[in-house]
Amino acid sequence: MLLYHPQLYLQLDREFLTPDLDRLAPHLWLLATQSSSHINPLHEQVLKGCNIVITENPELHLTWTDNRIFIKPIPPYMLSHAFWITHLLPLPSDCTGGVHIEPPSNALVKAVLGYMRTYYYLIRHESDLHIAKRSRLLPPSATDITLEQFYAFIAGFGDIEDNQVSPRYSCYGTLRLSRLNLWAKIFLHRFQFYHINRQYSEYFARFYAPILFYFGILTVVLSAMQVGLQANTDVHQDMHQWVVLQKTSLWFSVATLMCICVIVTAMTLLFAFMLSRELVFATKGIISRKRFMQKVGNLVNKLCKKSAKYQAAGKLPIMRNVYASLTTDVISDYSFPERCNFLSRPGDFDGEHYYAWMTLSRPSHCLKQFHWLFPLLDSMPIWVPKYTSPGIYVFLKQQNYLHEQAKMIHQQHEHVDYKEMNLRPSLIRSFTDSNLLPEDQKHPARIKGEAQISIGAGTLTTSHALKVGTYHILADKHVFDNLMAQLKVVIPDPDSLPTLQESERIPYLMAITYQTLRICYGVSHRLSRFQPRVQGADYPAGHADDMTPLQVHDNEEIFPSSYDFRPGRWLPLNTNGLRLLKSLVPFGGGSRKCVGMELGKAEVLTTIANVFRRFGSRWFCGRR
């Protein structure tokens, strides 16, 4: 029997909410690395000499000071599936026999998800699990749990995105307590964030070293000044006695004072340098993400302006080509030193490259089985497909272009002054810069292959999602009206460019994005994974376990009426949305997860928001 008590959510609020850190979240970049995955596994914490200290205060979870790190253990009820579906992610009333279950607050669900996600990073190896058991971080009921069992439970939390957790966990992992105490005076208006010194001796011991340092400095300065003054007086009184020693004492005192000034200045500059370096490191990730998302926004804006010219000329653009031009420009800007710039080309939206990729993708299943056809395709003279297969001809031309870019990157990497060139970073360039990849794997042919996969996947999947999403929005007046109503509230000016953060604050737009990704599947063919053990059943060594996203996305038990485009199934996002997100796998999961997952979702979200806010009403009126 599942228990419920009116005070349950109040107790859960005390267990997991972090109101002070949530208030500090906009300023945490000043004191911590901006990455929610910046959490070292437990064995690395021990390796660094940190003692794991248990705390039940959620505000102290993953804070550290000196040689201690505070970690909140997992409560026993967090391992109960019944507790999750009853109190944290309650099922709809139609799935519970009509029984209404009071949903938790959005803040509580986000805090719990963020807290549980930290254990995805804390326990990654067998040694981490042993340390967690020894340190009482896991409940007594989990003392016999194996790493495979724990990972099967915690792996789903690793897929949770930053916008689905509370501000404290959205972009930050471990936090330094001394810095929290420093900045709490400014942003929380109190003396310190958390008082950890319970004895006067411990409290005042912090001041001994700086007091002694400044006392020593002042002592040396005063002594030098005294020697200098005395030597100067003696020199004027008697120029014949001990003149050399007196002058030496005078200049030595002056030199001592100068040395003290140099040391103090150097220490001040060193502190300023270290502080500025930390600030630059903290803001580097924000600036780079903002710059790239601004590039995506600018490309979407360019798409809208070109579409407006079509509309003014009384022409209808082919949305397949429109979206393919956008996604090709975005992925090429992210992956290569030079962007393709299809949106900047005069005339119609480019469609031949999309057609070329589709021409190649159709026989991809055969090519996967008969891999010896790839060398044959590469060695084919380019004039042969020019007359036999225009799509393959365009593809081979693009392949030659990618090969030239790969050769350029390889030549730059071999240059003596490569590190001083300050070249534009890109996904493909990171292959040549990686220390993990052997040098014999960095040749132009390998780089060209990676570039080909990147641009093919980034063009077809995202443009297809945008195309399908646009169709379903226009095909259903109820979906269209709800979307436009929320867009007009958040984006009053249709000509303004909404940011990704503004788009993420529109619940119905997020639901449409999730529903679009579910309908589009991502990659429809089976993805292979080699693992020796699956749910307790042993397989022969090297056995392949294949699965397609269709088996999950079209599962009627998870998504009733799965073929219907129903964004409302994801609302509210903090309950139904979070429950369904674990079954949304268009980008794969685990070690096979797509590296461009966040980029693809940002493209879909930003493009739908901009395109429909600017052209939605006119498109819907003339859709028939």
Side-chain angles (χ1 to χ4, degrees):
M1 184 176 74
L2 298 177
L3 300 179
Y4 175 77
H5 192 275
Q7 300 297 317
L8 174 65
Y9 287 138
L10 294 178
Q11 178 60 28
L12 291 177
D13 287 346
R14 289 190 290 268
E15 285 285 331
F16 296 104
L17 291 186
T18 55
D20 291 337
L21 288 177
D22 290 344
R23 286 174 55 197
L24 273 174
H27 315 288
L28 286 179
W29 62 271
L30 292 167
L31 52 96
T33 301
Q34 274 205 315
S35 173
S36 55
S37 61
H38 184 63
I39 303 173
N40 291 326
L42 292 176
H43 77 274
E44 290 191 16
Q45 303 287 358
V46 175
L47 188 64
K48 292 180 177 181
C50 287
N51 296 320
I52 298 173
V53 180
I54 287 180
T55 177
E56 293 296 344
N57 185 348
E59 301 273 10
L60 289 181
H61 181 59
L62 291 184
T63 61
W64 64 276
T65 179
D66 298 327
N67 61 342
R68 289 177 292 174
I69 181 169
F70 301 96
I71 300 178
K72 178 178 173 59
I74 297 179
Y77 51 82
M78 283 289 103
L79 302 182
S80 169
H81 179 261
F83 187 88
W84 277 90
I85 64 174
T86 304
H87 302 297
L88 293 176
L89 301 175
L91 297 171
S93 58
D94 57 351
C95 298
T96 57
V99 178
H100 175 70
I101 300 176
E102 187 69 23
S105 66
N106 187 32
L108 174 60
V109 173
K110 288 188 172 185
V112 172
L113 292 176
Y115 163 76
M116 292 301 297
R117 189 176 65 169
T118 61
Y119 273 89
Y120 173 78
Y121 299 105
L122 285 171
I123 302 178
R124 305 301 297 272
H125 308 279
E126 194 76 40
S127 57
D128 299 326
L129 185 62
H130 291 317
I131 296 172
K133 293 178 179 179
R134 187 175 66 244
S135 303
R136 306 293 180 96
L137 297 179
L138 299 179
S141 58
T143 53
D144 296 330
I145 192 172
T146 64
L147 183 63
E148 291 80 5
Q149 292 171 332
F150 181 81
Y151 193 75
F153 163 74
I154 207 68
F157 294 98
D159 295 329
I160 295 175
E161 303 171 17
D162 287 342
N163 60 358
Q164 298 168 358
V165 299
S166 61
R168 183 265 177 264
Y169 298 108
S170 61
C171 292
Y172 305 97
T174 53
L175 303 172
R176 187 179 297 183
L177 188 55
S178 59
R179 294 186 182 179
L180 286 174
N181 287 333
L182 172 65
W183 291 104
K185 300 176 178 63
I186 301 174
F187 298 115
L188 296 181
H189 308 294
R190 67 192 198 203
F191 188 68
Q192 55 188 355
F193 180 79
Y194 186 79
H195 182 66
I196 58 174
N197 300 118
R198 298 302 179 188
Q199 300 292 334
Y200 286 134
S201 58
E202 293 180 4
Y203 180 79
F204 286 104
R206 299 182 302 167
F207 303 104
Y208 292 160
I211 289 175
L212 289 175
F213 173 76
Y214 289 116
F215 180 78
I217 290 290
L218 292 175
T219 301
V220 173
V221 169
L222 292 174
S223 299
M225 293 174 64
Q226 184 178 9
V227 170
L229 290 173
Q230 184 64 37
N232 190 43
T233 303
D234 293 343
V235 167
H236 286 86
Q237 287 180 354
D238 190 352
M239 297 295 295
H240 302 287
Q241 298 179 356
W242 307 96
V243 174
V244 176
L245 180 60
Q246 291 168 350
K247 288 184 176 181
T248 302
S249 300
L250 175 63
W251 288 108
F252 184 79
S253 63
V254 174
T256 302
L257 291 174
M258 293 179 64
C259 289
I260 294 297
C261 292
V262 170
I263 292 174
V264 172
T265 304
M267 294 293 291
T268 304
L269 292 176
L270 179 61
F271 176 76
F273 169 75
M274 294 177 65
L275 181 62
S276 61
R277 187 179 63 174
E278 291 187 0
L279 291 176
V280 169
F281 181 78
T283 57
K284 188 176 180 180
I286 303 180
I287 295 173
S288 62
R289 283 193 295 270
K290 283 186 176 180
R291 283 179 178 175
F292 187 75
M293 290 315 302
Q294 187 176 11
K295 287 183 180 180
V296 174
N298 292 337
L299 289 173
V300 174
N301 190 40
K302 190 178 294 186
L303 176 149
C304 293
K305 288 182 177 179
K306 194 168 183 177
S307 299
K309 291 180 181 178
Y310 266 77
Q311 192 175 43
K315 298 191 298 183
L316 292 176
I318 301 174
M319 297 310 296
R320 178 193 63 196
N321 298 342
V322 172
Y323 290 143
S325 299
L326 169 69
T327 55
T328 304
D329 279 0
V330 171
I331 192 61
S332 61
D333 187 71
Y334 180 78
S335 301
F336 313 135
E338 297 179 9
R339 187 196 302 159
C340 292
N341 285 321
F342 287 157
L343 290 173
S344 300
R345 296 181 181 181
D348 295 338
F349 287 96
D350 178 82
E352 62 175 5
H353 286 84
Y354 178 85
Y355 173 73
W357 282 107
M358 289 302 297
T359 302
L360 184 69
S361 65
R362 290 188 183 100
S364 61
H365 297 286
C366 294
L367 292 173
K368 183 179 180 180
Q369 304 301 325
F370 303 100
H371 53 83
W372 51 267
L373 290 173
F374 279 104
L376 182 63
L377 186 63
D378 286 338
S379 60
M380 182 187 302
I382 197 169
W383 56 266
V384 174
K386 183 177 182 180
Y387 301 102
T388 58
S389 177
I392 297 295
Y393 172 69
V394 174
F395 172 77
L396 291 178
K397 281 203 308 181
Q398 189 175 56
Q399 210 175 34
N400 291 338
Y401 168 75
L402 297 178
H403 187 69
E404 292 300 321
Q405 290 231 27
K407 285 172 59 178
M408 180 187 68
I409 294 174
H410 185 73
Q411 290 171 358
Q412 290 174 343
H413 184 72
E414 297 297 325
H415 197 276
V416 178
D417 300 326
Y418 173 71
K419 293 184 178 180
E420 286 74 28
M421 285 183 176
N422 195 23
L423 298 171
R424 178 178 171 275
S426 63
L427 176 66
I428 302 303
R429 198 184 295 281
S430 65
F431 284 102
T432 59
D433 295 343
S434 174
N435 295 324
L436 302 177
L437 197 64
E439 290 297 324
D440 59 350
Q441 294 293 320
K442 298 180 181 180
H443 50 81
R446 165 66 186 274
I447 299 175
K448 182 198 71 173
E450 298 291 347
Q452 181 177 317
I453 294 173
S454 174
I455 196 169
T459 298
L460 295 182
T461 55
T462 313
S463 63
H464 179 63
L466 288 168
K467 178 179 61 177
V468 171
T470 300
Y471 166 78
H472 282 288
I473 295 171
L474 293 175
D476 191 324
K477 188 176 186 303
H478 176 72
V479 173
F480 175 84
D481 290 341
N482 285 339
L483 174 62
M484 293 303 298
Q486 293 195 17
L487 285 176
K488 290 177 181 179
V489 172
V490 179
I491 314 170
D493 183 10
D495 294 324
S496 66
L497 184 67
T499 63
L500 178 63
Q501 290 74 21
E502 290 175 337
S503 301
E504 289 175 340
R505 289 198 294 267
I506 306 175
Y508 202 72
L509 176 61
M510 291 295 297
I512 286 177
T513 301
Y514 293 145
Q515 184 68 8
T516 299
L517 295 174
R518 187 188 71 82
I519 290 288
C520 292
Y521 305 117
V523 178
S524 59
H525 65 262
R526 295 180 179 273
L527 299 176
S528 300
R529 183 171 184 174
F530 295 90
Q531 53 184 21
R533 187 176 181 85
V534 181
Q535 296 181 351
D538 292 327
Y539 288 85
H543 179 83
D545 180 32
D546 299 340
M547 184 176 177
T548 170
L550 275 72
Q551 294 174 315
V552 181
H553 289 188
D554 292 343
N555 191 324
E556 290 291 328
E557 294 182 0
I558 304 174
F559 301 102
S561 303
S562 61
Y563 291 104
D564 295 342
F565 191 85
R566 289 167 43 192
R569 74 172 82 232
W570 299 86
L571 299 174
L573 294 174
N574 66 317
T575 53
N576 292 342
L578 290 175
R579 179 174 54 83
L580 294 176
L581 270 177
K582 64 181 181 180
S583 301
L584 185 68
V585 288
F587 300 98
S591 61
R592 299 297 303 275
K593 186 188 297 183
C594 175
V595 295
M597 179 178 68
E598 298 299 331
L599 176 62
K601 286 191 288 190
E603 284 183 82
V604 174
L605 196 63
T606 306
T607 305
I608 290 179
N610 279 274
V611 167
F612 275 90
R613 184 62 185 97
R614 297 190 187 191
F615 305 104
S617 300
R618 286 167 283 185
W619 280 2
F620 189 81
C621 292
R623 73 190 190 281
R624 298 192 184 279

